[in-house]
Amino acid sequence: LDLSVHNPLEFVIAALSALREPCEITLTSDSKYVVDAIEKENRAQKADFEEMQRLYFKQLLIVISRLRRTQIADNTTPTAMFVQSIAKHISTHFAEDLTLDTLAKTFSVSPSYLSKIFKQITGVGIKKYVTQTRIAAAKNILATTTLSITQVSAACGFDDSNHFATV
């Protein structure tokens, strides 16, 4: 990250692009204070104002870093929320054809991106997650109904009841 950039906007863009993952940051009172101080220094241009701006920029980066850590810890990053919506979709549509390709089309992303972020956030691949969701649903149906294994396997999205019996 080049701290010698004189244009405040260019600096913020460079700082944000240095992050590994795209992020959305809502300005807090701390960050608003720092941005206001940077703008005030820019308007006043007193002695050593550029050094003060650099210091405020460093402070802003720390504030942004803290916000990101909080978002990541709370699973409220845009990526985590996107993965949560995919997991919810899987849990409500487990009986349907849920392959990596069909899910990628449903959510308008590439299969490789979907696979990467899903595993990164959940720690489990898409195929395994779908299978685990189907098995959990099947256990519930088997415990609460008198349906046959063949009927339960079909109701839970398993194409082959013989395969269902092995998982």
Side-chain angles (χ1 to χ4, degrees):
L1 183 61
D2 183 8
L3 295 178
S4 66
V5 175
H6 295 290
N7 180 328
L9 182 57
E10 287 177 16
F11 183 88
V12 171
I13 291 170
L16 291 176
S17 65
L19 297 171
R20 292 183 184 176
E21 179 182 326
C23 65
E24 294 175 13
I25 298 291
T26 303
L27 292 180
T28 62
S29 58
D30 290 341
S31 54
K32 286 179 184 175
Y33 168 79
V34 176
V35 169
D36 289 345
I38 293 168
E39 290 174 348
K40 183 179 176 184
E41 285 293 330
N42 198 44
R43 281 191 306 272
Q45 294 196 1
K46 294 180 181 176
D48 298 321
F49 80 95
E50 290 172 334
E51 186 60 30
M52 285 297 291
Q53 282 184 316
R54 279 190 203 91
L55 292 172
Y56 283 127
F57 280 129
K58 288 178 183 179
Q59 185 177 356
L60 181 60
L61 289 175
I62 292 168
V63 169
I64 290 171
S65 175
R66 287 177 179 170
L67 287 170
R68 283 296 286 158
R69 286 189 188 123
T70 300
Q71 283 183 330
I72 290 167
D74 295 343
N75 266 345
T76 57
T77 64
T79 303
M81 291 189 302
F82 179 59
V83 168
Q84 288 170 4
S85 69
I86 295 165
K88 184 177 180 180
H89 178 82
I90 291 169
S91 70
T92 57
H93 296 88
F94 60 85
E96 299 171 14
D97 179 31
L98 295 178
T99 64
L100 180 60
D101 287 336
T102 61
L103 287 167
K105 286 178 187 172
T106 300
F107 288 92
S108 303
V109 294
S110 75
S112 61
Y113 175 73
L114 177 59
S115 178
K116 176 185 169 193
I117 64 166
F118 195 88
K119 184 151 188 168
Q120 180 183 10
I121 298 294
T122 66
V124 180
I126 291 273
K127 186 174 182 176
K128 185 172 184 176
Y129 187 87
V130 169
T131 301
Q132 289 174 340
T133 302
R134 289 176 172 163
I135 290 170
K139 284 180 181 179
N140 184 40
I141 294 170
L142 286 169
T144 59
T145 70
T146 58
L147 294 175
S148 70
I149 290 180
T150 303
Q151 291 170 317
V152 172
S153 69
C156 293
F158 290 98
D159 295 331
D160 181 4
S161 61
N162 291 327
H163 172 68
F164 170 70
T166 64
V167 292

